[in-house]
Amino acid sequence: MGRRGVVLLGATGSIGHNSLRVIRANSDRLKLVGIAGGSRVEPLAAIAREFGVKHVTLFDQNACHDAKKSGLFDPDVALGTGIEGLNHLATLPEADVVVVAVVGTMGLHPTLAAIEADKEIALASKEVLVLAGKFVMAAAKAKGVQVLPVDSEHNAIFQCLNGAPNHEVARIILTASGGPFRNHTLEQMAGITPEEAVKHPNWSMGTKITVDSSTMANKGLELIEARWLFGMEPNRIRVVVHPQSIIHSMVEYVDGSILAQLSPPSMTFAIQHVLLYPERRAGVDQTLNFEDSMNLEFNPPDLLRFPCLRLAREAMQAAGVAPAVFNAANEVAVDAFLKKRISYLGIGDLIDHTLQKSDNFEPTNLEEVLDIDRSARRISNDLITEHES
Ligand code: NDP
Ligand code: MG
């Protein structure tokens, strides 16, 4: 069996780190052929050296400039930058699969470029589908390219569906940990600081997604991600709070049987499943041990305390560009919260007000969605400035 060429966009991040653990342990099946990061030169250079990677992109131009002078990369390494650098990696002839794991929507263009070049997509960056799911999935369908979900919930659903026809599925049920503030009262939530919001009880992840998990905006983004990945109508996608993060999601079939996927809360299970798909092999993390007692708990989400989840569902149901507006406003809000410009509860308020101030319509091309993304960010930023003055 030949080795699959893997391109890893976001190699120095949390998903990147776990992907490297999977690639290291399966070096007879997988070969890292290209890596991209944002601005941190040294950790990216260390990965390039360890794996002998010859194609590297540092998105930040200054960082790329520094990298070229640093001597940290072998002379035969091709160093690229900017969106062209990401697109170059996404279309490398030696790549079979492209892992998209950069923060936010930066992964959109490389994802489309990779699809166009017939590469399989291992998608971690859910924001890409929330922004432009309609166009990404249409492109993948037209090219016959697989978009395999790395996000643990969607990977679980993909495994539980196992190719079942849509009409046999009653609903899909996304599990949510509920985050660190699951049992906080609204009064307690008002005073949450960035330092508290960047700690997650079960998962170790990048900053933005950790804050999103605490507000449940992450589960909101995942509702919309599921809608596109599985072609499921909004009212057939449910959320249940399951604090242990052992069941990663479930599929309920029309006959009442529910299938679940279980594993400890580590992203390596989903990443390996996707990178070796359809082959199964021993993993890199400890598996569940039923010799130990274990309780699994389920509760309905509280939409009053977690308005971001309610707003995401409403945006998904409204369809059109509403999900793109939700995503843009959330990104601006999280950034403003981390910079202490708005309060924790201000995140939901800002998304709500931005949605109210934005027009909704069915986009007919990608440019329209990108325009909306920009205008929603502008509206959110103006609202923050107004609030500060
Ligand atoms: P991190 O913040 O840990 O890592 C982000 C990575 O993206 C870093 O390698 C960073 O490089 C790189 N990066 C940032 N900006 C750019 C850019 N413009 N071009 C290229 N690379 C860039 O994030 P996570 O790994 O946690 O998350 C990545 C994506 O995966 C997100 O979309 C998230 O929603 C999704 N996801 C993450 C999960 C998790 O467990 N972490 C679970 C499910 C989904 P640098 O180090 O130089 O800044
Ligand atoms: Mg997830």
Side-chain angles (χ1 to χ4, degrees):
M1 199 184 285
R3 293 200 292 171
R4 306 187 74 205
V6 181
V7 163
L8 182 51
L9 308 180
T12 52
S14 159
I15 291 286
H17 169 75
N18 283 313
S19 302
L20 294 173
R21 291 178 60 211
V22 169
I23 295 168
R24 213 176 266 126
N26 292 282
S27 57
D28 58 331
R29 292 281 195 280
L30 304 169
K31 180 175 166 50
L32 191 62
V33 296
I35 52 174
S39 58
R40 296 187 306 133
V41 179
E42 281 184 24
L44 201 64
I47 299 166
R49 278 198 305 274
E50 182 191 339
F51 291 86
V53 176
K54 299 298 173 208
H55 299 274
V56 177
T57 288
L58 264 154
F59 185 80
D60 185 271
Q61 254 180 13
N62 293 328
C64 184
H65 185 74
D66 293 347
K68 282 181 178 156
K69 291 193 306 189
S70 70
L72 289 168
F73 291 89
D74 286 346
D76 61 340
V77 169
L79 264 168
T81 188
I83 199 74
E84 300 78 30
L86 296 179
N87 289 345
H88 170 70
L89 291 187
T91 55
L92 277 181
E94 53 269 54
D96 298 297
V97 52
V98 178
V99 182
V100 183
V102 296
V103 202
T105 49
M106 196 47 83
L108 173 62
H109 289 292
T111 300
L112 289 169
I115 290 172
E116 213 41 52
D118 287 315
K119 312 294 183 193
E120 187 173 289
I121 307 295
L123 188 69
S125 300
K126 60 198 84 186
E127 296 91 339
V128 165
L129 289 184
V130 177
L131 173 66
K134 176 176 171 176
F135 302 104
V136 172
M137 294 313 285
K141 193 172 173 202
K143 291 293 277 184
V145 159
Q146 291 231 59
V147 180
L148 296 176
V150 168
D151 207 351
S152 54
E153 294 76 5
H154 305 74
N155 184 265
I157 293 163
F158 179 70
Q159 294 198 45
C160 295
L161 280 174
N162 198 24
N166 192 294
H167 69 266
E168 288 185 359
V169 176
R171 58 191 60 85
I172 57 188
I173 304 159
L174 295 170
T175 54
S177 72
F181 313 128
R182 184 166 51 90
N183 296 320
H184 273 44
T185 62
L186 260 183
E187 292 71 43
Q188 287 173 312
M189 287 176 103
I192 290 167
T193 63
E195 293 74 23
E196 291 168 314
V198 297
K199 294 198 194 95
H200 195 279
N202 302 356
W203 297 94
S204 157
M205 310 178 286
T207 309
K208 196 238 168 198
I209 185 173
T210 304
V211 177
D212 283 351
S213 297
S214 81
T215 61
M216 294 193 79
N218 181 54
K219 212 49 55 182
L221 296 171
E222 291 184 355
L223 282 173
I224 301 162
E225 180 186 15
R227 188 242 168 286
W228 290 116
L229 278 172
F230 307 114
M232 201 61 71
E233 300 84 350
N235 61 3
R236 287 205 286 158
I237 313 172
R238 304 286 164 81
V239 172
V240 63
V241 176
H242 164 50
Q244 291 79 16
S245 299
I246 296 290
I247 293 186
H248 297 295
S249 279
M250 301 178 260
V251 172
E252 182 177 336
Y253 284 89
V254 287
D255 61 1
S257 273
I258 297 181
L259 266 56
Q261 184 267 338
L262 289 73
S263 53
S266 162
M267 290 306 296
T268 58
F269 295 96
I271 294 168
Q272 174 166 320
H273 178 259
V274 163
L275 289 183
L276 296 185
Y277 184 77
E279 188 187 12
R280 291 199 185 258
R281 286 182 123 188
V284 296
D285 277 311
Q286 278 221 323
T287 53
L288 284 179
N289 179 5
F290 288 99
E291 306 286 303
D292 300 333
S293 319
M294 181 193 317
N295 285 310
L296 301 181
E297 208 186 321
F298 304 96
N299 303 290
D302 180 347
L303 299 182
L304 263 179
R305 287 183 302 128
F306 294 97
C308 294
L309 180 57
R310 172 179 59 81
L311 291 163
R313 181 175 283 286
E314 288 169 6
M316 171 171 70
Q317 261 146 356
V321 294
V325 173
F326 174 90
N327 179 63
N330 180 55
E331 237 176 88
V332 173
V334 170
D335 183 62
F337 165 68
L338 290 172
K339 292 179 176 143
K340 305 200 174 181
R341 295 180 68 194
I342 63 172
S343 70
Y344 188 74
L345 293 178
I347 297 175
D349 290 340
L350 187 68
I351 300 171
D352 194 359
H353 293 149
T354 306
L355 279 162
Q356 284 176 32
K357 278 182 164 257
S358 304
D359 295 330
N360 197 18
F361 60 92
E362 191 54 44
T364 54
N365 59 60
L366 189 63
E367 247 341 285
E368 287 178 351
V369 179
L370 297 176
D371 276 347
I372 284 294
D373 177 65
R374 280 185 290 266
S375 70
R377 283 168 204 270
R378 206 160 39 234
I379 293 171
S380 295
N381 277 311
D382 288 350
L383 284 165
I384 296 170
T385 315
E386 256 170 55
H387 158 89
E388 282 174 332
S389 62

